[in-house]
Amino acid sequence: MHESERLPSPNSTTHTLRVWKEPILKFIFKATIVGLVVGLFISLFRMAVTEALHLVKDMFGYVQQHLIWVPVLIAGALLLAWVIGLLIKSDPLIKGSGIPQVEGQLVNELHMNWLSVFIKKFVGGTLAIGSGLFLGREGPSIQLGAALGQGIHRLSGNRSVFEEKFLLTCGASAGLSAAFNAPLAGVLFVLEEVHRHFSPIILLTVMTSSVTADVVASQFFGLTPVLSFGHLESLPIKDYGFLLLLGAMLGVAGMIYNKTLLMTQSIYQRITWLPGHLHGIFPFILMVPLGLLAPQMLGGGHDIIVSLHQQAFSLIALVILLLVRYLFSLICYGSGLPGGIFLPMLALGSLVGAILGQLFVSVFGLDPMFVNNMVILAMAGFFTAVVKAPITGSLLITEMTGSFATLLPVIIVSLTAYVISDLLKTKPIYEELLHRLTTPFKEAMDHQLKSRETAKELIEIPIVIGSKAENQYIRDLNWPRQALLIAVKRGGLEIIPKGDTKLRAGDSILILTDDYTLSEVKQEMNMLCTDCSSYDRE
């Protein structure tokens, strides 16, 4: 028998279990490589978008003085929309932010051609975001990072699906870290939004890639926070009542934003006289008069956020800015152009914070010096209400502004916004976008996954206080038919599971399943082990 015949398949149960037991240093080394590569390319992406945006603003400023060039401007906008549309038509997975696509790939609901996505998302994202549309770079950065992580795995000659998911996750985290110079937010976003739970090996590798990418990006952009507000006075404890009011209103605002964003996508889907990949024509055409009237408003929202700190706006001006940015950001993202909603969301949150801050001053007597605090706090609260990721929102804003003095108020606002949005039954926006994205392709993807060699997936799931699995014997639980319980991890111990093994809160269980059943098994295991909302403890 040849040696190759004795080796297990890279997607076999034996190989998957062997990989799980490999030294952590091997995974950290691979995560470091991913962080270096992703940090470099996302930095190039940031520079390309920034330079393109500066060029576009200068061009609009010139056309303002020479209106004879307006027809050329319109023709250029139509040409850009057509070019991006061709890219979308050739690979539909580059549409939108890219975050739902990454989440879908991790649970095998989507399949991504990493090289195609990387090239076309890089070019399409640069053209769409750099043209001045109200789109952010963070979503594309996450998808670009995930594609590079997958590509590094494929180019290494390794065919293990299990290892590929690790590097794809590391790439996604590194992408957000390099996009905003926010390594902790990069780590927590992947763990809180993408995985929803994590194991020590995922935490260590993701942290490694995220920090490495941040180090690389810092070589290009320095250590200055992306949104530097300078020194801010701490909000007095006596004024903390404003935080609860602010968080509650942001929770309502997040619910409205989510519903209207999904509604905008539905409106675009009803436009049948124009191919879907050309829907970007609408925001590009609307951008021309907007850019001619106020070129400084163009872009994802960074300049607007910074200007709120640098100059005073009247309440009427703030309301107008909010309405314009709100409506145009919906039009831009709903069209399916490659761009994210992180930064546009933060810009909307900052404007809401500035408006409410002024109202708190005039109605309730808040000291005007704390209006800037409300701007920062509102960004975190609005992000939390929309994405339903309070920890990520709190740390993201803290890292982006470099103001750790606001960390406690940020957490209070974020938690309040989360609770209110939850009471209003607001679903996480990326979860809803993923559902809409995968529904048309689900049957084809299931057939594709079942027709190829079956790969094995290992998932680690914690036992949460109040879950159905807590304090239950393994034999008494209704386990998914496609799942095999491999081990129970309790502290530093790894217990061989038996029928009379009693699960405790804080345990982690290892589940082996086929890759084509991964999404279904994850949902069932989460209901069993991490969901405590419907469990009535006796």
Side-chain angles (χ1 to χ4, degrees):
M1 183 180 292
H2 295 292
E3 179 67 21
S4 60
E5 295 176 324
R6 294 196 298 267
L7 293 175
S9 164
N11 293 320
S12 67
T13 301
T14 303
H15 180 81
T16 301
L17 292 174
R18 181 181 298 171
V19 169
W20 185 265
K21 292 296 184 180
E22 286 182 345
I24 187 66
L25 288 178
K26 176 181 177 181
F27 289 103
I28 289 178
F29 173 75
K30 292 182 178 180
T32 302
I33 299 299
V34 171
L36 289 171
V37 174
V38 173
L40 174 62
F41 280 100
I42 298 305
S43 295
L44 296 176
F45 179 66
R46 281 180 63 177
M47 289 191 293
V49 168
T50 301
E51 291 303 317
L53 187 57
H54 287 161
L55 180 62
V56 166
K57 288 184 176 181
D58 291 342
M59 181 178 63
F60 271 104
Y62 178 81
V63 175
Q64 277 182 324
Q65 308 300 322
H66 307 82
L67 295 179
I68 192 174
W69 291 101
V70 170
V72 177
L73 203 60
I74 296 174
L78 291 173
L79 178 61
L80 279 176
W82 179 72
V83 170
I84 298 173
L86 292 181
L87 293 173
I88 293 174
K89 184 179 180 181
S90 64
D91 195 334
L93 288 183
I94 70 169
K95 293 179 65 175
S97 73
I99 294 173
Q101 288 89 325
V102 174
E103 293 183 0
Q105 189 171 10
L106 285 172
V107 294
N108 291 324
E109 292 186 353
L110 291 172
H111 175 69
M112 179 172 67
N113 181 323
W114 74 270
L115 186 58
S116 171
V117 166
F118 175 75
I119 294 174
K120 293 169 184 177
K121 189 79 170 193
F122 193 106
V123 176
T126 301
L127 295 178
I129 305 168
S131 66
L133 297 176
F134 291 4
L135 297 168
R137 63 175 181 262
E138 67 301 314
S141 298
I142 289 173
Q143 189 178 19
L144 289 172
L148 287 171
Q150 182 183 11
I152 291 171
H153 174 81
R154 295 284 177 90
L155 293 175
S156 69
N158 193 325
R159 294 188 295 118
S160 169
V161 174
F162 178 72
E163 290 189 57
E164 182 175 295
K165 296 289 180 66
F166 266 100
L167 297 190
L168 188 147
T169 302
C170 290
S173 175
L176 179 57
S177 173
F180 284 150
N181 290 105
L184 291 179
V187 172
L188 286 172
F189 180 77
V190 168
L191 300 181
E192 188 177 25
E193 169 61 25
V194 178
H195 276 276
R196 306 296 171 90
H197 45 72
F198 60 92
S199 62
I201 188 172
I202 293 178
L203 176 62
L204 289 173
T205 52
V206 166
M207 186 175 293
T208 299
S209 62
S210 186
V211 171
T212 303
D214 180 57
V215 171
V216 174
S218 297
Q219 304 304 312
F220 291 88
F221 305 102
L223 297 175
T224 303
V226 174
L227 297 173
S228 180
F229 274 56
H231 176 70
L232 290 175
E233 294 293 333
S234 297
L235 189 71
I237 297 294
K238 66 180 181 65
D239 290 329
Y240 270 35
F242 291 113
L243 303 182
L244 300 177
L245 182 58
L246 178 64
M249 300 183 76
L250 290 169
V252 176
M255 179 271 293
I256 295 172
Y257 179 82
N258 280 18
K259 287 185 178 299
T260 51
L261 181 62
L262 297 173
M263 187 187 305
T264 305
Q265 284 193 332
S266 299
I267 292 173
Y268 270 110
Q269 290 172 359
R270 297 192 191 104
I271 301 176
T272 56
W273 53 269
L274 185 68
H277 64 277
L278 294 179
H279 285 169
I281 287 176
F282 296 108
F284 266 103
I285 290 298
L286 291 173
M287 181 187 66
V288 174
L290 178 63
L292 290 174
L293 290 172
Q296 68 276 11
M297 283 190 63
L298 298 179
H302 175 273
D303 291 347
I304 290 294
I305 297 172
V306 173
S307 66
L308 292 176
H309 169 65
Q310 295 176 342
Q311 62 187 90
F313 289 86
S314 67
L315 188 59
I316 295 178
L318 289 172
V319 172
I320 293 174
L321 282 173
L322 175 63
L323 290 175
V324 172
R325 290 207 65 88
Y326 169 66
L327 293 174
F328 195 49
S329 65
L330 294 180
I331 294 171
C332 290
Y333 189 81
S335 69
L337 288 169
I341 54 175
F342 259 47
L343 196 54
M345 267 195 297
L346 299 184
L348 291 175
S350 68
L351 287 167
V352 172
I355 292 172
L356 292 178
Q358 289 199 15
L359 290 177
F360 291 163
V361 170
S362 59
V363 178
F364 300 109
L366 177 70
D367 193 322
M369 68 183 298
F370 296 121
V371 171
N372 280 337
N373 297 61
M374 296 300 160
V375 170
I376 293 177
L377 301 177
M379 286 192 286
F382 189 67
F383 175 91
T384 297
V386 172
V387 182
K388 304 296 286 290
I391 302 176
T392 300
S394 299
L395 275 179
L396 176 66
I397 300 305
T398 300
E399 286 188 295
M400 289 181 67
T401 60
S403 178
F404 283 87
T406 61
L407 182 57
L408 179 58
V410 160
I411 293 174
I412 294 174
V413 171
S414 296
L415 289 177
T416 306
Y418 181 89
V419 169
I420 296 300
S421 67
D422 205 49
L423 291 174
L424 295 173
K425 302 188 184 305
T426 306
K427 293 184 178 180
I429 189 61
Y430 292 119
E431 183 179 300
E432 290 291 292
L433 293 174
L434 174 61
H435 175 71
R436 291 190 171 208
L437 181 66
T438 56
T439 299
F441 307 111
K442 188 169 181 58
E443 184 176 339
M445 279 299 302
D446 288 344
H447 176 74
Q448 179 182 352
L449 288 168
K450 292 178 182 179
S451 63
R452 63 169 171 78
E453 177 192 6
T454 301
K456 299 298 183 290
E457 295 272 3
L458 260 181
I459 54 177
E460 183 171 349
I461 301 202
I463 306 297
V464 174
I465 295 175
S467 66
K468 294 179 181 179
E470 184 194 10
N471 294 328
Q472 297 295 313
Y473 292 104
I474 287 177
R475 63 171 177 262
D476 296 332
L477 292 171
N478 186 21
W479 299 95
R481 186 169 55 86
Q482 307 90 341
L484 177 63
L485 180 59
I486 299 295
V488 177
K489 300 177 72 173
R490 182 170 295 162
L493 300 177
E494 192 168 286
I495 303 170
I496 297 176
K498 301 177 183 178
D500 59 354
T501 302
K502 191 173 186 179
L503 298 176
R504 304 175 184 171
D507 288 350
S508 291
I509 56 175
L510 292 182
I511 299 293
L512 183 71
T513 185
D514 293 319
D515 60 350
Y516 68 84
T517 61
L518 177 62
S519 177
E520 180 182 348
V521 169
K522 262 195 168 183
Q523 290 179 9
E524 293 187 47
M525 292 305 303
N526 282 332
M527 291 178 62
L528 190 65
C529 301
T530 66
D531 183 12
C532 56
S533 59
S534 61
Y535 182 53
D536 184 15
R537 184 175 299 279
E538 296 181 358

